[in-house]
Amino acid sequence: MSSYLGVGVSPGNVPVYHSTNVNVLDRRIKITELVLRCVILGLGVLAAVLVGTDSQVKEFFSFQKEAKFTDMKSLVFLVVANGLASGYSLIQGLRCIISMIRGRVLFSKPLAWAIFSGDQVMAYVTVATVVAAGQSGVIARVGQPELQWMKICNMYGKFCNQVGEGIASAFVASLSMVVLSCISAFSLFRLYGGNKTKNVLVG
Amino acid sequence: MSSYLGVGVSPGNVPVYHSTNVNVLDRRIKITELVLRCVILGLGVLAAVLVGTDSQVKEFFSFQKEAKFTDMKSLVFLVVANGLASGYSLIQGLRCIISMIRGRVLFSKPLAWAIFSGDQVMAYVTVATVVAAGQSGVIARVGQPELQWMKICNMYGKFCNQVGEGIASAFVASLSMVVLSCISAFSLFRLYGGNKTKNVLVG
């Protein structure tokens, strides 16, 4: 497993990079990645279920009206984005587990590019949808009196609270996605660290 | 200028990294970075001015009402975020020019971390504010009839159009910021490319 670094390190050379340190770092990154992917999977499903199953029926004098998440476009996007993020995290988490079992370190640039691109897209998509839903949620809670948009949360209290919980869990999921996108950027771009050759050849 | 790579490359070694290629790549990255920072500076100021100076007075039967960007919280955030992004891009652009004149390549990890962190934060902040403003803008344009939020753009047409232009230019600025954050991630994390030693030492 550690042979990928030990190849050329003859005893006479000054060991600039200790293979054990690198392995420890790689292991920690892999574990952090796996934990974050599980967090996103769990919170993404939670957010989608909380918002997607939310509804409240309110009786007015002569008729009744139901509040559903489909009344607000941004909540539909939130549910879709969190469903996507969960499925994506499931696939990536499985890949993570397989590479941990096989003890492989990521050296393939195309694969690293694919993971990096996917993570970047998912990070911005989850952040964007949670912000849009949060923006609608704030208007729903406090209203926008200058524009005659009334707050509706005093009418649909239970509905609003459950949406709020969904947005909160989607928010944590999107933060995890942002951290993950930094990790995958690290995993990709360190493959391009050609300039370090100076240190090695001097020794 | 190119001596930083030439230090230990004796003629007997297989040159794994051609210093000229690296220099060309570094130059291209620097120029792309500078162009993007200028784009963000220009578009950020444009967006802030377009939205911040926008107003329209509408006369109703007995009174008159003025639409201002401060009526919508998300537009205030948009103006502030684009002002911040412009100032930030100005400072970073100057740093870019100075390092190009001096012909230096970024090797300092603390500086690279600072640039990376700043770019990441600005990327997510600009994306978040443009999404929030876009969300409010969509509600203002098409309304949300289920919640009794009326569209207001038929009343304040000129105001809405100018806000739309501002959001569009902020959107392009935020996309540039996203690309920049990838570039600064590359500049930072390639400094951690220790695993490449294998290739060098084998030769």
Side-chain angles (χ1 to χ4, degrees):
Chain A
M1 180 185 158
S2 67
S3 64
Y4 70 94
L5 253 180
V7 173
V9 185
S10 66
N13 277 339
V14 182
V16 181
Y17 300 102
H18 304 279
S19 61
T20 43
N21 285 350
V22 174
N23 275 339
V24 168
L25 180 66
D26 275 330
R27 250 201 115 64
R28 272 190 199 155
I29 288 175
K30 273 260 149 53
I31 290 169
T32 313
E33 189 183 344
L34 187 59
V35 169
L36 285 174
R37 301 228 184 255
C38 291
V39 167
I40 295 164
L41 176 58
L43 289 181
V45 170
L46 183 68
V49 169
L50 275 176
V51 174
T53 63
D54 198 10
S55 75
Q56 185 175 6
V57 177
K58 194 89 184 177
E59 297 216 7
F60 294 93
F61 303 101
S62 56
F63 62 102
Q64 57 182 22
K65 201 174 176 313
E66 190 185 10
K68 293 187 307 294
F69 79 100
T70 45
D71 291 345
M72 232 187 237
K73 293 284 165 296
S74 57
L75 292 185
V76 179
F77 286 129
L78 189 74
V79 170
V80 171
N82 275 280
L84 272 179
S86 303
Y88 176 78
S89 298
L90 181 64
I91 296 169
Q92 288 278 11
L94 291 177
R95 180 197 55 75
C96 227
I97 292 172
I98 291 170
S99 83
M100 278 175 94
I101 292 171
R102 294 201 184 156
R104 270 196 206 150
V105 178
L106 183 63
F107 274 135
S108 151
K109 278 184 188 176
L111 180 61
W113 268 107
I115 297 169
F116 168 75
S117 313
D119 284 357
Q120 287 282 325
V121 169
M122 287 313 300
Y124 284 104
V125 166
T126 51
V127 167
T129 51
V130 87
V131 167
Q135 170 64 22
S136 298
V138 168
I139 298 176
R141 188 164 286 282
V142 304
Q144 193 94 65
E146 297 90 346
L147 309 177
Q148 322 261 298
W149 295 346
M150 293 171 302
K151 50 185 164 187
I152 52 160
C153 280
N154 39 4
M155 283 199 288
Y156 300 101
K158 179 242 153 200
F159 177 80
C160 267
N161 284 340
Q162 192 168 326
V163 165
E165 289 158 17
I167 292 176
S169 97
F171 179 69
V172 178
S174 71
L175 284 189
S176 312
M177 203 60 239
V178 169
V179 175
L180 261 181
S181 77
C182 292
I183 291 179
S184 62
F186 173 78
S187 300
L188 169 63
F189 291 132
R190 68 171 177 170
L191 301 180
Y192 289 86
N195 292 336
K196 281 280 183 175
T197 50
K198 179 179 67 167
N199 300 331
V200 179
L201 289 166
V202 167
Chain B
M1 180 183 160
S2 68
S3 65
Y4 70 92
L5 254 180
V7 172
V9 185
S10 67
N13 278 338
V14 181
V16 181
Y17 301 102
H18 305 277
S19 61
T20 41
N21 283 351
V22 174
N23 275 339
V24 168
L25 180 67
D26 275 330
R27 250 201 114 65
R28 272 190 199 157
I29 289 175
K30 272 259 151 49
I31 290 168
T32 313
E33 190 183 344
L34 187 59
V35 169
L36 285 174
R37 300 224 185 260
C38 292
V39 167
I40 295 165
L41 176 58
L43 288 181
V45 170
L46 183 67
V49 169
L50 274 175
V51 174
T53 62
D54 196 10
S55 76
Q56 185 175 5
V57 178
K58 195 89 184 176
E59 298 216 6
F60 293 93
F61 302 101
S62 56
F63 63 101
Q64 57 181 25
K65 200 173 176 312
E66 190 184 11
K68 294 187 308 293
F69 78 101
T70 46
D71 292 344
M72 233 187 235
K73 292 284 164 298
S74 57
L75 291 185
V76 178
F77 286 128
L78 188 73
V79 171
V80 171
N82 275 281
L84 271 179
S86 303
Y88 176 78
S89 298
L90 181 64
I91 295 170
Q92 288 279 9
L94 290 178
R95 180 196 56 75
C96 226
I97 292 172
I98 291 171
S99 83
M100 278 174 93
I101 292 172
R102 293 200 185 157
R104 270 195 207 153
V105 178
L106 182 63
F107 274 135
S108 151
K109 277 184 188 177
L111 180 61
W113 269 107
I115 296 169
F116 168 75
S117 312
D119 284 356
Q120 287 282 325
V121 170
M122 288 312 300
Y124 284 104
V125 166
T126 50
V127 167
T129 51
V130 87
V131 168
Q135 170 64 22
S136 298
V138 168
I139 298 178
R141 189 163 285 280
V142 303
Q144 194 93 65
E146 298 90 343
L147 310 177
Q148 322 261 296
W149 294 346
M150 292 170 303
K151 51 185 163 187
I152 51 159
C153 279
N154 39 4
M155 283 199 289
Y156 299 100
K158 178 241 155 200
F159 176 81
C160 267
N161 284 340
Q162 192 167 328
V163 165
E165 289 159 16
I167 292 177
S169 98
F171 179 68
V172 178
S174 70
L175 284 189
S176 312
M177 204 59 238
V178 169
V179 176
L180 261 181
S181 78
C182 292
I183 292 179
S184 63
F186 172 78
S187 301
L188 169 62
F189 292 132
R190 68 171 177 170
L191 301 181
Y192 289 87
N195 292 335
K196 282 281 185 177
T197 50
K198 179 181 65 167
N199 299 333
V200 180
L201 289 165
V202 166

PDB file of all heavy atoms in Angstrom, chain A residues 44-70:
ATOM      1  N   GLY A  44     -29.421  15.697   3.424  1.00  0.00           N
ATOM      2  CA  GLY A  44     -30.115  15.958   2.164  1.00  0.00           C
ATOM      3  C   GLY A  44     -31.453  15.242   2.114  1.00  0.00           C
ATOM      4  O   GLY A  44     -32.475  15.829   1.752  1.00  0.00           O
ATOM      5  N   VAL A  45     -31.445  13.962   2.494  1.00  0.00           N
ATOM      6  CA  VAL A  45     -32.699  13.207   2.526  1.00  0.00           C
ATOM      7  C   VAL A  45     -33.658  13.831   3.541  1.00  0.00           C
ATOM      8  O   VAL A  45     -34.841  14.041   3.260  1.00  0.00           O
ATOM      9  CB  VAL A  45     -32.423  11.723   2.875  1.00  0.00           C
ATOM     10  CG1 VAL A  45     -33.722  10.990   3.155  1.00  0.00           C
ATOM     11  CG2 VAL A  45     -31.664  11.041   1.753  1.00  0.00           C
ATOM     12  N   LEU A  46     -33.114  14.172   4.727  1.00  0.00           N
ATOM     13  CA  LEU A  46     -33.942  14.789   5.769  1.00  0.00           C
ATOM     14  C   LEU A  46     -34.596  16.074   5.259  1.00  0.00           C
ATOM     15  O   LEU A  46     -35.815  16.278   5.415  1.00  0.00           O
ATOM     16  CB  LEU A  46     -33.072  15.079   6.993  1.00  0.00           C
ATOM     17  CG  LEU A  46     -33.788  15.674   8.214  1.00  0.00           C
ATOM     18  CD1 LEU A  46     -34.734  14.657   8.815  1.00  0.00           C
ATOM     19  CD2 LEU A  46     -32.782  16.138   9.272  1.00  0.00           C
ATOM     20  N   ALA A  47     -33.798  16.938   4.629  1.00  0.00           N
ATOM     21  CA  ALA A  47     -34.324  18.212   4.136  1.00  0.00           C
ATOM     22  C   ALA A  47     -35.404  17.974   3.082  1.00  0.00           C
ATOM     23  O   ALA A  47     -36.474  18.603   3.119  1.00  0.00           O
ATOM     24  CB  ALA A  47     -33.186  19.052   3.553  1.00  0.00           C
ATOM     25  N   ALA A  48     -35.126  17.053   2.141  1.00  0.00           N
ATOM     26  CA  ALA A  48     -36.092  16.790   1.072  1.00  0.00           C
ATOM     27  C   ALA A  48     -37.395  16.237   1.654  1.00  0.00           C
ATOM     28  O   ALA A  48     -38.494  16.639   1.235  1.00  0.00           O
ATOM     29  CB  ALA A  48     -35.503  15.816   0.051  1.00  0.00           C
ATOM     30  N   VAL A  49     -37.284  15.334   2.635  1.00  0.00           N
ATOM     31  CA  VAL A  49     -38.486  14.744   3.221  1.00  0.00           C
ATOM     32  C   VAL A  49     -39.256  15.788   4.040  1.00  0.00           C
ATOM     33  O   VAL A  49     -40.477  15.917   3.913  1.00  0.00           O
ATOM     34  CB  VAL A  49     -38.104  13.529   4.108  1.00  0.00           C
ATOM     35  CG1 VAL A  49     -39.291  13.075   4.938  1.00  0.00           C
ATOM     36  CG2 VAL A  49     -37.601  12.391   3.237  1.00  0.00           C
ATOM     37  N   LEU A  50     -38.521  16.558   4.863  1.00  0.00           N
ATOM     38  CA  LEU A  50     -39.183  17.574   5.704  1.00  0.00           C
ATOM     39  C   LEU A  50     -39.965  18.565   4.853  1.00  0.00           C
ATOM     40  O   LEU A  50     -41.133  18.856   5.140  1.00  0.00           O
ATOM     41  CB  LEU A  50     -38.134  18.331   6.535  1.00  0.00           C
ATOM     42  CG  LEU A  50     -37.700  17.715   7.864  1.00  0.00           C
ATOM     43  CD1 LEU A  50     -36.598  18.548   8.499  1.00  0.00           C
ATOM     44  CD2 LEU A  50     -38.887  17.611   8.824  1.00  0.00           C
ATOM     45  N   VAL A  51     -39.329  19.063   3.796  1.00  0.00           N
ATOM     46  CA  VAL A  51     -40.001  20.068   2.970  1.00  0.00           C
ATOM     47  C   VAL A  51     -41.039  19.406   2.058  1.00  0.00           C
ATOM     48  O   VAL A  51     -42.166  19.900   1.919  1.00  0.00           O
ATOM     49  CB  VAL A  51     -38.966  20.858   2.130  1.00  0.00           C
ATOM     50  CG1 VAL A  51     -39.657  21.798   1.168  1.00  0.00           C
ATOM     51  CG2 VAL A  51     -38.042  21.633   3.046  1.00  0.00           C
ATOM     52  N   GLY A  52     -40.669  18.262   1.474  1.00  0.00           N
ATOM     53  CA  GLY A  52     -41.541  17.634   0.487  1.00  0.00           C
ATOM     54  C   GLY A  52     -42.840  17.078   1.062  1.00  0.00           C
ATOM     55  O   GLY A  52     -43.851  17.018   0.353  1.00  0.00           O
ATOM     56  N   THR A  53     -42.821  16.668   2.318  1.00  0.00           N
ATOM     57  CA  THR A  53     -44.040  16.082   2.900  1.00  0.00           C
ATOM     58  C   THR A  53     -44.832  17.091   3.709  1.00  0.00           C
ATOM     59  O   THR A  53     -45.835  16.754   4.324  1.00  0.00           O
ATOM     60  CB  THR A  53     -43.682  14.907   3.835  1.00  0.00           C
ATOM     61  OG1 THR A  53     -42.904  15.405   4.924  1.00  0.00           O
ATOM     62  CG2 THR A  53     -42.892  13.839   3.100  1.00  0.00           C
ATOM     63  N   ASP A  54     -44.362  18.344   3.700  1.00  0.00           N
ATOM     64  CA  ASP A  54     -44.985  19.364   4.548  1.00  0.00           C
ATOM     65  C   ASP A  54     -46.278  19.873   3.920  1.00  0.00           C
ATOM     66  O   ASP A  54     -46.327  20.153   2.726  1.00  0.00           O
ATOM     67  CB  ASP A  54     -43.998  20.526   4.724  1.00  0.00           C
ATOM     68  CG  ASP A  54     -44.378  21.399   5.906  1.00  0.00           C
ATOM     69  OD1 ASP A  54     -45.269  20.991   6.665  1.00  0.00           O
ATOM     70  OD2 ASP A  54     -43.769  22.460   6.056  1.00  0.00           O
ATOM     71  N   SER A  55     -47.309  19.950   4.726  1.00  0.00           N
ATOM     72  CA  SER A  55     -48.555  20.564   4.249  1.00  0.00           C
ATOM     73  C   SER A  55     -49.387  20.937   5.462  1.00  0.00           C
ATOM     74  O   SER A  55     -49.242  20.362   6.539  1.00  0.00           O
ATOM     75  CB  SER A  55     -49.331  19.602   3.343  1.00  0.00           C
ATOM     76  OG  SER A  55     -49.942  18.616   4.134  1.00  0.00           O
ATOM     77  N   GLN A  56     -50.230  21.926   5.295  1.00  0.00           N
ATOM     78  CA  GLN A  56     -51.108  22.346   6.387  1.00  0.00           C
ATOM     79  C   GLN A  56     -52.405  22.864   5.784  1.00  0.00           C
ATOM     80  O   GLN A  56     -52.382  23.688   4.866  1.00  0.00           O
ATOM     81  CB  GLN A  56     -50.430  23.430   7.237  1.00  0.00           C
ATOM     82  CG  GLN A  56     -51.246  23.816   8.465  1.00  0.00           C
ATOM     83  CD  GLN A  56     -50.522  24.803   9.365  1.00  0.00           C
ATOM     84  OE1 GLN A  56     -49.441  25.292   9.023  1.00  0.00           O
ATOM     85  NE2 GLN A  56     -51.103  25.125  10.510  1.00  0.00           N
ATOM     86  N   VAL A  57     -53.513  22.358   6.286  1.00  0.00           N
ATOM     87  CA  VAL A  57     -54.820  22.799   5.793  1.00  0.00           C
ATOM     88  C   VAL A  57     -55.383  23.818   6.771  1.00  0.00           C
ATOM     89  O   VAL A  57     -55.343  23.620   7.984  1.00  0.00           O
ATOM     90  CB  VAL A  57     -55.778  21.603   5.661  1.00  0.00           C
ATOM     91  CG1 VAL A  57     -57.154  22.086   5.212  1.00  0.00           C
ATOM     92  CG2 VAL A  57     -55.225  20.585   4.687  1.00  0.00           C
ATOM     93  N   LYS A  58     -55.833  24.922   6.213  1.00  0.00           N
ATOM     94  CA  LYS A  58     -56.381  26.000   7.044  1.00  0.00           C
ATOM     95  C   LYS A  58     -57.818  26.238   6.597  1.00  0.00           C
ATOM     96  O   LYS A  58     -58.081  26.382   5.411  1.00  0.00           O
ATOM     97  CB  LYS A  58     -55.527  27.259   6.818  1.00  0.00           C
ATOM     98  CG  LYS A  58     -55.749  28.348   7.846  1.00  0.00           C
ATOM     99  CD  LYS A  58     -54.821  28.178   9.024  1.00  0.00           C
ATOM    100  CE  LYS A  58     -55.131  29.211  10.083  1.00  0.00           C
ATOM    101  NZ  LYS A  58     -54.302  29.043  11.276  1.00  0.00           N
ATOM    102  N   GLU A  59     -58.731  26.277   7.557  1.00  0.00           N
ATOM    103  CA  GLU A  59     -60.130  26.508   7.191  1.00  0.00           C
ATOM    104  C   GLU A  59     -60.466  27.984   7.325  1.00  0.00           C
ATOM    105  O   GLU A  59     -60.240  28.590   8.362  1.00  0.00           O
ATOM    106  CB  GLU A  59     -61.045  25.684   8.100  1.00  0.00           C
ATOM    107  CG  GLU A  59     -60.822  24.200   7.930  1.00  0.00           C
ATOM    108  CD  GLU A  59     -62.117  23.412   8.053  1.00  0.00           C
ATOM    109  OE1 GLU A  59     -63.204  24.035   8.137  1.00  0.00           O
ATOM    110  OE2 GLU A  59     -62.029  22.177   8.051  1.00  0.00           O
ATOM    111  N   PHE A  60     -60.965  28.542   6.243  1.00  0.00           N
ATOM    112  CA  PHE A  60     -61.482  29.902   6.310  1.00  0.00           C
ATOM    113  C   PHE A  60     -62.995  29.812   6.417  1.00  0.00           C
ATOM    114  O   PHE A  60     -63.549  28.721   6.568  1.00  0.00           O
ATOM    115  CB  PHE A  60     -61.022  30.689   5.082  1.00  0.00           C
ATOM    116  CG  PHE A  60     -59.532  30.894   5.066  1.00  0.00           C
ATOM    117  CD1 PHE A  60     -58.694  30.009   4.404  1.00  0.00           C
ATOM    118  CD2 PHE A  60     -58.970  31.963   5.739  1.00  0.00           C
ATOM    119  CE1 PHE A  60     -57.328  30.190   4.410  1.00  0.00           C
ATOM    120  CE2 PHE A  60     -57.604  32.156   5.745  1.00  0.00           C
ATOM    121  CZ  PHE A  60     -56.775  31.270   5.079  1.00  0.00           C
ATOM    122  N   PHE A  61     -63.682  30.906   6.327  1.00  0.00           N
ATOM    123  CA  PHE A  61     -65.123  30.899   6.595  1.00  0.00           C
ATOM    124  C   PHE A  61     -65.858  29.856   5.764  1.00  0.00           C
ATOM    125  O   PHE A  61     -66.488  28.946   6.292  1.00  0.00           O
ATOM    126  CB  PHE A  61     -65.712  32.303   6.343  1.00  0.00           C
ATOM    127  CG  PHE A  61     -65.032  33.341   7.175  1.00  0.00           C
ATOM    128  CD1 PHE A  61     -64.068  34.166   6.641  1.00  0.00           C
ATOM    129  CD2 PHE A  61     -65.352  33.472   8.515  1.00  0.00           C
ATOM    130  CE1 PHE A  61     -63.429  35.114   7.414  1.00  0.00           C
ATOM    131  CE2 PHE A  61     -64.711  34.417   9.300  1.00  0.00           C
ATOM    132  CZ  PHE A  61     -63.754  35.233   8.749  1.00  0.00           C
ATOM    133  N   SER A  62     -65.704  29.978   4.468  1.00  0.00           N
ATOM    134  CA  SER A  62     -66.517  29.105   3.630  1.00  0.00           C
ATOM    135  C   SER A  62     -65.708  28.027   2.913  1.00  0.00           C
ATOM    136  O   SER A  62     -66.256  27.061   2.421  1.00  0.00           O
ATOM    137  CB  SER A  62     -67.250  29.957   2.579  1.00  0.00           C
ATOM    138  OG  SER A  62     -66.298  30.696   1.848  1.00  0.00           O
ATOM    139  N   PHE A  63     -64.399  28.185   2.851  1.00  0.00           N
ATOM    140  CA  PHE A  63     -63.603  27.228   2.087  1.00  0.00           C
ATOM    141  C   PHE A  63     -62.336  26.882   2.869  1.00  0.00           C
ATOM    142  O   PHE A  63     -62.028  27.502   3.893  1.00  0.00           O
ATOM    143  CB  PHE A  63     -63.234  27.816   0.725  1.00  0.00           C
ATOM    144  CG  PHE A  63     -62.388  29.054   0.801  1.00  0.00           C
ATOM    145  CD1 PHE A  63     -61.022  28.990   0.564  1.00  0.00           C
ATOM    146  CD2 PHE A  63     -62.945  30.301   1.121  1.00  0.00           C
ATOM    147  CE1 PHE A  63     -60.243  30.127   0.640  1.00  0.00           C
ATOM    148  CE2 PHE A  63     -62.167  31.433   1.202  1.00  0.00           C
ATOM    149  CZ  PHE A  63     -60.814  31.347   0.965  1.00  0.00           C
ATOM    150  N   GLN A  64     -61.645  25.857   2.407  1.00  0.00           N
ATOM    151  CA  GLN A  64     -60.370  25.555   3.058  1.00  0.00           C
ATOM    152  C   GLN A  64     -59.232  25.593   2.046  1.00  0.00           C
ATOM    153  O   GLN A  64     -59.413  25.310   0.865  1.00  0.00           O
ATOM    154  CB  GLN A  64     -60.415  24.211   3.775  1.00  0.00           C
ATOM    155  CG  GLN A  64     -60.776  23.022   2.903  1.00  0.00           C
ATOM    156  CD  GLN A  64     -60.848  21.751   3.734  1.00  0.00           C
ATOM    157  OE1 GLN A  64     -61.024  21.819   4.956  1.00  0.00           O
ATOM    158  NE2 GLN A  64     -60.700  20.609   3.096  1.00  0.00           N
ATOM    159  N   LYS A  65     -58.066  25.955   2.542  1.00  0.00           N
ATOM    160  CA  LYS A  65     -56.907  26.152   1.676  1.00  0.00           C
ATOM    161  C   LYS A  65     -55.741  25.353   2.236  1.00  0.00           C
ATOM    162  O   LYS A  65     -55.527  25.320   3.446  1.00  0.00           O
ATOM    163  CB  LYS A  65     -56.560  27.649   1.635  1.00  0.00           C
ATOM    164  CG  LYS A  65     -55.737  28.031   0.422  1.00  0.00           C
ATOM    165  CD  LYS A  65     -55.533  29.531   0.337  1.00  0.00           C
ATOM    166  CE  LYS A  65     -54.618  29.909  -0.817  1.00  0.00           C
ATOM    167  NZ  LYS A  65     -53.397  29.125  -0.924  1.00  0.00           N
ATOM    168  N   GLU A  66     -55.007  24.695   1.337  1.00  0.00           N
ATOM    169  CA  GLU A  66     -53.888  23.886   1.791  1.00  0.00           C
ATOM    170  C   GLU A  66     -52.562  24.538   1.374  1.00  0.00           C
ATOM    171  O   GLU A  66     -52.412  24.933   0.218  1.00  0.00           O
ATOM    172  CB  GLU A  66     -53.980  22.476   1.182  1.00  0.00           C
ATOM    173  CG  GLU A  66     -52.972  21.518   1.798  1.00  0.00           C
ATOM    174  CD  GLU A  66     -52.963  20.153   1.120  1.00  0.00           C
ATOM    175  OE1 GLU A  66     -53.587  20.014   0.060  1.00  0.00           O
ATOM    176  OE2 GLU A  66     -52.310  19.246   1.645  1.00  0.00           O
ATOM    177  N   ALA A  67     -51.658  24.651   2.330  1.00  0.00           N
ATOM    178  CA  ALA A  67     -50.306  25.138   2.009  1.00  0.00           C
ATOM    179  C   ALA A  67     -49.433  23.930   1.689  1.00  0.00           C
ATOM    180  O   ALA A  67     -49.351  22.991   2.479  1.00  0.00           O
ATOM    181  CB  ALA A  67     -49.733  25.913   3.190  1.00  0.00           C
ATOM    182  N   LYS A  68     -48.817  23.948   0.507  1.00  0.00           N
ATOM    183  CA  LYS A  68     -47.921  22.866   0.099  1.00  0.00           C
ATOM    184  C   LYS A  68     -46.592  23.473  -0.339  1.00  0.00           C
ATOM    185  O   LYS A  68     -46.529  24.666  -0.665  1.00  0.00           O
ATOM    186  CB  LYS A  68     -48.517  22.086  -1.082  1.00  0.00           C
ATOM    187  CG  LYS A  68     -49.770  21.310  -0.769  1.00  0.00           C
ATOM    188  CD  LYS A  68     -50.187  20.449  -1.953  1.00  0.00           C
ATOM    189  CE  LYS A  68     -50.299  21.224  -3.252  1.00  0.00           C
ATOM    190  NZ  LYS A  68     -51.386  22.228  -3.263  1.00  0.00           N
ATOM    191  N   PHE A  69     -45.564  22.631  -0.366  1.00  0.00           N
ATOM    192  CA  PHE A  69     -44.258  23.179  -0.768  1.00  0.00           C
ATOM    193  C   PHE A  69     -44.256  23.591  -2.226  1.00  0.00           C
ATOM    194  O   PHE A  69     -43.455  24.431  -2.638  1.00  0.00           O
ATOM    195  CB  PHE A  69     -43.134  22.179  -0.458  1.00  0.00           C
ATOM    196  CG  PHE A  69     -43.000  21.063  -1.454  1.00  0.00           C
ATOM    197  CD1 PHE A  69     -42.018  21.117  -2.432  1.00  0.00           C
ATOM    198  CD2 PHE A  69     -43.834  19.967  -1.415  1.00  0.00           C
ATOM    199  CE1 PHE A  69     -41.880  20.091  -3.351  1.00  0.00           C
ATOM    200  CE2 PHE A  69     -43.709  18.934  -2.333  1.00  0.00           C
ATOM    201  CZ  PHE A  69     -42.731  19.001  -3.300  1.00  0.00           C
ATOM    202  N   THR A  70     -45.183  23.035  -3.024  1.00  0.00           N
ATOM    203  CA  THR A  70     -45.205  23.404  -4.446  1.00  0.00           C
ATOM    204  C   THR A  70     -45.768  24.816  -4.668  1.00  0.00           C
ATOM    205  O   THR A  70     -45.688  25.343  -5.778  1.00  0.00           O
ATOM    206  CB  THR A  70     -46.052  22.400  -5.252  1.00  0.00           C
ATOM    207  OG1 THR A  70     -47.262  22.140  -4.530  1.00  0.00           O
ATOM    208  CG2 THR A  70     -45.305  21.099  -5.448  1.00  0.00           C
TER     209      THR A  70
END
